[in-house]
Amino acid sequence: MSTALEADPRESISADDMDYDPRLDVEAQLLCALLWAQPAEARRVTALITAADFDRPTYAALFDQIAALVEAGKPHDSAHVALMLSREGRTAGHKGKQLTTALADVTTLGATGGAEHYVDAVITQAYRRGFHLAAQSLAEAAERLPERDLFEHMCAHGRHLREATERLTKIRGGQL
């Protein structure tokens, strides 16, 4: 019988946990700037970015928490984000440690203004990542899917990437 307090096997430590510098990560910089942003700027940024735009699941989770606070009209600084994570029981175990450490790291990066300047870079990374993932998925599908499903699988990726292209073009003011 499992309980909520037992270790989650998905909480294993990966090599990426040990070899990473948030000072060089535009996603971390965006989160830092967002934590320090005034409410109006934070609303504009959270209207453009989604958690799916983040490569690191920890950053996606932090963004979700910040965006929820912004949407609720509540303070969205690191203390309030930490408080909400704690209230939701999300600070325990390896994943909880990752969240709280990442929050502390991004809070102190020094990107205390201009969160909107990071939006294009984060979305561009997500856009390119989408093409890499589509290519990997198509290669795997070519080996594993029945022939009758291959074309639709490719088209589904194409539709998704078209939407991503249109979103990026719109955010850049019609220029891509």
Side-chain angles (χ1 to χ4, degrees):
M1 178 173 170
S2 74
T3 67
L5 297 178
E6 288 181 358
D8 184 342
R10 295 172 293 178
E11 290 194 16
S12 62
I13 298 173
S14 74
D16 290 341
D17 294 339
M18 309 306 282
D19 186 27
Y20 170 73
D21 188 347
R23 296 172 299 177
L24 303 175
D25 189 331
V26 71
E27 293 178 3
Q29 296 288 334
L30 170 71
L31 290 172
C32 177
L34 193 53
L35 287 168
W36 294 94
Q38 293 297 313
E41 182 181 23
R43 281 190 300 275
R44 289 189 302 271
V45 169
T46 57
L48 296 171
I49 297 282
T50 70
D53 292 321
F54 289 86
D55 188 34
R56 299 178 78 78
T58 303
Y59 287 168
L62 289 177
F63 175 80
D64 270 345
Q65 194 63 66
I66 294 167
L69 289 167
V70 168
E71 185 177 324
K74 296 182 178 180
H76 57 276
D77 55 51
S78 58
H80 284 87
V81 172
L83 176 64
M84 294 309 295
L85 290 171
S86 178
R87 283 183 181 170
E88 294 175 4
R90 297 180 64 196
T91 58
H94 177 64
K95 292 291 184 191
K97 178 69 173 167
Q98 283 182 321
L99 280 172
T100 56
T101 299
L103 179 59
D105 288 346
V106 300
T107 300
T108 60
L109 288 177
T112 58
E116 291 173 302
H117 297 293
Y118 295 101
V119 169
D120 182 76
V122 169
I123 292 175
T124 296
Q125 286 182 345
Y127 180 69
R128 289 185 172 276
R129 201 167 41 251
F131 280 89
H132 284 281
L133 293 172
Q136 290 170 347
S137 178
L138 290 172
E140 184 176 324
E143 293 194 16
R144 297 179 185 237
L145 284 182
E147 288 176 1
R148 68 181 172 274
D149 297 336
L150 288 173
F151 186 74
E152 181 51 39
H153 183 76
M154 179 192 65
C155 289
H157 280 290
R159 286 188 293 273
H160 177 73
L161 293 171
R162 168 58 66 196
E163 290 170 6
T165 300
E166 291 168 356
R167 176 181 178 227
L168 185 59
T169 301
K170 181 179 176 184
I171 288 171
R172 289 184 174 168
Q175 296 179 355
L176 182 62

